Amino acid sequence: MLTEPRHAGTRRSEPAFFDDRARVSALRACGAVSFGVFVLLAIVVAAKASKGTDQSIDDSLNRFALRDTGITDFFKAVTDAGSPTVTLGLGLLVAVAFYLLRMRTSAYFAAASVIGAYAIAYVAKKGVNRPRPHWDAAHTISTESGASFPSGHATGTSTLAAVLILAAVPLLAGPAARRIAQTVLVLYVIVIVASRPVLGVHFPTDVLAGAALGTGWTLLCASVLRPWRDRVSNRWSARDPLRRTGR
C-alpha cells in the first residue's frame, strides 16, 4: 500500500523529455530516406546510368574552375580539412572526449557513426569500383587516386557534422551559440562537398552519395543509441543530489 502512492508520484514528476519516441521515429525516418538515397545512387552509378549527366556537370565545373582561379585556390586550400584521415580522427577524438566525460552513450554513438560510415563507404568503393574523372594536362586542377564512389570527403564531413550537431552542439549554453555552431558545421560540409567536383577529383553523384551516406547512417545510429539521454541523465543528477550519490 505504501509503494503504490510513491510510484504514482514518481510517474507524475517524471520530466516530459523522457518520452522520446517521436524524436526516435523522426530520426529513423530521415535516416532511412537519406541512406536510401545513397543506395539508389550506388545502383544508378553501378549501372552507369548517370555517366553522361555526371560528365556534363563535371565539364561545366572544370571550365568554371579554370576561369576563376580565386575560387579554385580557395577550394584547394580547404579541401584537406575534410579528408578521411582528418574527419575519422576528429570523430574518434570526439568519442574519446565523451567517454572521458562519462557520456558513454554519446561516445558509442560517435564511434559507431564515424567507423560505420567509413566501413560502408569502403565496401561501396570496392563494389562499385568507379574510376575518377580523367582530364588532360590542360584541364587537370588536382589529382587523386583510388575509386571515386562514394566521396570519402563527403562521407566523413557529413558524418562528423551530424555527430556534433546531435550530440555536442546541444551542450552549448544559449540558443544563439547553438545556432552559430550548427551554421558553421553545415557550411563546413557544403564547402568540402563542393570542393571535390570543382577540383575535378569526383563526379557530382560521388559527393551526393557520400553526404547521403554519412547523414543517413548517423541519424540511424542516433535513433538506436539515443545520445541525448546522456544529457538528460546528467541534468537530472545535477538537480537531485540523492540520485547523484546513488542513495
Side-chain angles (χ1 to χ4, degrees), residues 4 7 10 18 32 79 93 117 130 142 174 179 224 229:
E4 186 173 337
H7 180 64
T10 302
F18 272 105
T79 192
L93 283 176
R130 185 187 208 181
S142 184
R179 283 195 295 270
V224 173
R229 286 188 168 181

Side-chain angles (χ1 to χ4, degrees), residues 73-83 188 191-192 195:
D73 291 341
F74 170 73
F75 280 139
K76 283 182 177 179
V78 302
T79 192
D80 287 342
S83 69
Y188 163 65
V191 168
I192 298 300
S195 73

Side-chain angles (χ1 to χ4, degrees), residues 8 38 61 75 81 88 91-92 104 117 142 178 191 216 237 245:
F38 160 70
L61 291 173
F75 280 139
L88 179 60
L92 293 177
R104 303 296 166 82
S142 184
R178 292 193 289 271
V191 168
S237 297
T245 57

Side-chain angles (χ1 to χ4, degrees), residues 67-140:
R67 189 168 58 245
D68 194 327
T69 56
I71 292 293
T72 305
D73 291 341
F74 170 73
F75 280 139
K76 283 182 177 179
V78 302
T79 192
D80 287 342
S83 69
T85 302
V86 171
T87 51
L88 179 60
L90 287 175
L92 293 177
L93 283 176
V94 169
V96 170
F98 280 135
Y99 193 85
L100 293 177
L101 291 171
R102 297 185 181 181
M103 299 176 67
R104 303 296 166 82
T105 304
S106 295
Y108 301 146
F109 162 63
S113 296
V114 295
I115 295 173
Y118 274 118
I120 296 169
Y122 177 81
V123 172
K125 280 180 179 289
K126 295 296 184 182
V128 176
N129 196 28
R130 185 187 208 181
R132 290 187 183 262
H134 178 73
W135 308 98
D136 58 32
H139 293 84
T140 298

Side-chain angles (χ1 to χ4, degrees), residues 3-228:
T3 57
E4 186 173 337
R6 186 168 54 200
H7 180 64
T10 302
R11 283 189 301 181
R12 283 196 299 270
S13 64
E14 188 176 27
F17 48 69
F18 272 105
D19 183 9
D20 54 15
R21 286 174 296 179
R23 182 184 300 186
V24 168
S25 297
L27 287 170
R28 196 164 292 163
C30 293
V33 170
S34 185
F35 196 83
V37 169
F38 160 70
V39 173
L40 178 61
L41 287 172
I43 295 171
V44 169
V45 169
K48 299 182 179 179
S50 66
K51 186 175 180 180
T53 303
D54 263 339
Q55 189 62 60
S56 176
I57 296 174
D58 251 16
D59 289 342
S60 299
L61 291 173
N62 183 256
R63 289 193 295 269
F64 165 75
L66 291 172
R67 189 168 58 245
D68 194 327
T69 56
I71 292 293
T72 305
D73 291 341
F74 170 73
F75 280 139
K76 283 182 177 179
V78 302
T79 192
D80 287 342
S83 69
T85 302
V86 171
T87 51
L88 179 60
L90 287 175
L92 293 177
L93 283 176
V94 169
V96 170
F98 280 135
Y99 193 85
L100 293 177
L101 291 171
R102 297 185 181 181
M103 299 176 67
R104 303 296 166 82
T105 304
S106 295
Y108 301 146
F109 162 63
S113 296
V114 295
I115 295 173
Y118 274 118
I120 296 169
Y122 177 81
V123 172
K125 280 180 179 289
K126 295 296 184 182
V128 176
N129 196 28
R130 185 187 208 181
R132 290 187 183 262
H134 178 73
W135 308 98
D136 58 32
H139 293 84
T140 298
I141 299 171
S142 184
T143 58
E144 294 278 356
S145 60
S148 188
F149 182 95
S151 164
H153 281 65
T155 301
T157 53
S158 59
T159 302
L160 178 61
V163 165
L164 293 174
I165 288 173
L166 289 170
V169 170
L171 300 176
L172 297 176
R178 292 193 289 271
R179 283 195 295 270
I180 292 171
Q182 290 170 355
T183 302
V184 169
L185 288 168
V186 171
L187 289 176
Y188 163 65
V189 175
I190 292 173
V191 168
I192 298 300
V193 167
S195 73
R196 307 307 286 164
V198 170
L199 293 177
V201 293
H202 276 294
F203 294 104
T205 46
D206 298 336
V207 295
L208 288 176
L213 164 60
T215 303
W217 175 255
T218 305
L219 294 179
L220 290 174
C221 286
S223 72
V224 173
L225 295 172
R226 309 182 187 189
W228 59 87

